[in-house]
Amino acid sequence: MSQHFQRLCGLTRKAIVGYDMIQDGDRICVGVSGGKDSVALAVALKKLQSYIGIKFDLIAVTLDPRFDGNDTDYSVLEKFFEEQGIKYVIKRTDIGNIIFEQRKETNPCSLCARMRRGALHDIVKELGCNKIALGHHLDDAIETFYMNLWNEGRIGTFSPVTYLSIKDITMIRPFVLAIEQDVIRAVNEFQMPIVKSTCPADGVTNRQNMKNFVMERCKTDTSFRQKSLNAFQKKDLDGWGLKNKI
């Protein structure tokens, strides 16, 4: 196992154990957008199956929003996941058409996220899975914290583990102890294929602005991320307090 991918798998294992994310018998659906985080998560979980000591099933699922009105080409992912021994399902949707053509949303991200979550939850149930794994990492959590604080005036971020009672599904985020650079290095080292988003709003969102802020803050304070993680964990903010020692 290569150095950077090994580190990413180690951080993933720590999160799974520390937050008690996976149990024997789980059937886990990895939501794969085609971006680096979700592709890397599917591969990391597949690798962990061989030595983590927990028996679970794994399937990767992509929801195609069809932003340009045409089916997105995920053939490179189909080939890659087949080589890795990962079952892969593509679900075509009309989300792009609804948001940009029918509703002509000027701030599409929130609605798009809700629609994609709903569609993902439905297919998870169809596939008989009881858990969804998403590729959000520590940088995403920090960005979400400051977006909530500055935009909505509230303290909070997403949770490492969330039980969705309406659908009877548990959402897990095994990358919460990794930073974006950990993922980037592993993806480049492993030469994982990436399918770039065709969303018209990609790269010009409020999320991107916050990502830039976190990057700049880390340049002046190299311990910024670790301080943020420590604060989340010590206050058990939104379930960030560790359940088990790691």
Side-chain angles (χ1 to χ4, degrees):
M1 192 189 309
S2 55
Q3 176 186 355
H4 296 304
F5 182 63
Q6 184 174 8
R7 171 176 169 77
L8 184 61
C9 287
L11 292 168
T12 305
R13 179 184 176 280
K14 285 184 177 181
I16 291 171
V17 173
Y19 293 104
D20 198 22
M21 290 183 176
I22 302 176
Q23 291 78 41
D24 283 338
D26 281 344
R27 184 171 171 83
I28 301 171
C29 171
V30 184
V32 176
S33 65
K36 65 184 187 310
D37 304 326
S38 56
V39 173
L41 177 59
V43 180
L45 288 177
K46 180 62 179 179
K47 184 63 179 180
L48 284 170
Q49 271 187 320
S50 64
Y51 67 85
I52 197 171
I54 305 172
K55 297 180 180 178
F56 63 93
D57 293 327
L58 185 69
I59 181 170
V61 174
T62 291
L63 295 176
D64 180 10
R66 304 181 71 249
F67 287 121
D68 55 3
N70 300 311
D71 291 353
T72 305
D73 182 6
Y74 294 106
S75 58
V76 292
L77 289 183
E78 290 180 288
K79 180 181 178 182
F80 177 69
F81 285 141
E82 182 179 5
E83 292 171 348
Q84 299 303 314
I86 300 172
K87 183 177 180 181
Y88 182 47
V89 173
I90 300 171
K91 179 77 171 181
R92 308 292 181 182
T93 76
D94 290 321
I95 292 175
N97 177 59
I98 293 171
I99 292 174
F100 290 103
E101 301 301 325
Q102 296 182 26
R103 299 183 56 134
K104 301 186 185 301
E105 293 283 331
T106 55
N107 297 298
C109 297
S110 179
L111 177 60
C112 181
R114 290 199 302 273
M115 292 184 68
R116 293 175 75 166
R117 278 197 301 270
L120 182 59
H121 296 169
D122 288 342
I123 193 170
V124 166
K125 298 299 289 186
E126 290 174 15
L127 294 170
C129 296
N130 66 312
K131 290 186 176 176
I132 306 172
L134 301 179
H136 299 131
H137 43 65
L138 180 58
D139 284 353
D140 291 322
I142 296 171
E143 292 158 15
T144 299
F145 175 84
Y146 282 103
M147 287 174 69
N148 289 338
L149 178 63
W150 292 345
N151 297 343
E152 302 176 26
R154 65 182 179 90
I155 301 294
T157 186
F158 55 70
S159 303
V161 178
T162 306
Y163 177 63
L164 308 172
S165 57
I166 295 178
K167 288 288 187 177
D168 189 27
I169 297 170
T170 299
M171 183 183 298
I172 62 175
R173 293 178 167 95
F175 276 177
V176 289
L177 300 183
I179 65 173
E180 184 169 26
Q181 200 58 232
D182 291 320
V183 179
I184 291 172
R185 291 189 182 112
V187 167
N188 291 340
E189 187 178 56
F190 205 100
Q191 295 185 325
M192 300 181 197
I194 303 300
V195 176
K196 184 173 174 54
S197 171
T198 57
C199 174
D202 189 42
V204 293
T205 63
N206 189 30
R207 169 71 65 174
Q208 184 62 46
N209 293 335
M210 194 56 60
K211 185 183 293 290
N212 294 338
F213 161 77
V214 171
M215 290 174 62
E216 288 301 316
R217 190 70 185 86
C218 289
K219 290 179 182 178
T220 58
D221 182 1
T222 56
S223 61
F224 178 69
R225 291 184 179 93
Q226 189 60 48
K227 289 176 182 176
S228 300
L229 175 60
N230 290 343
F232 292 171
Q233 292 179 333
K234 287 179 180 178
K235 291 297 183 181
D236 193 17
L237 181 68
D238 293 325
W240 277 77
L242 291 170
K243 307 299 184 291
N244 301 305
K245 291 183 179 181
I246 54 176

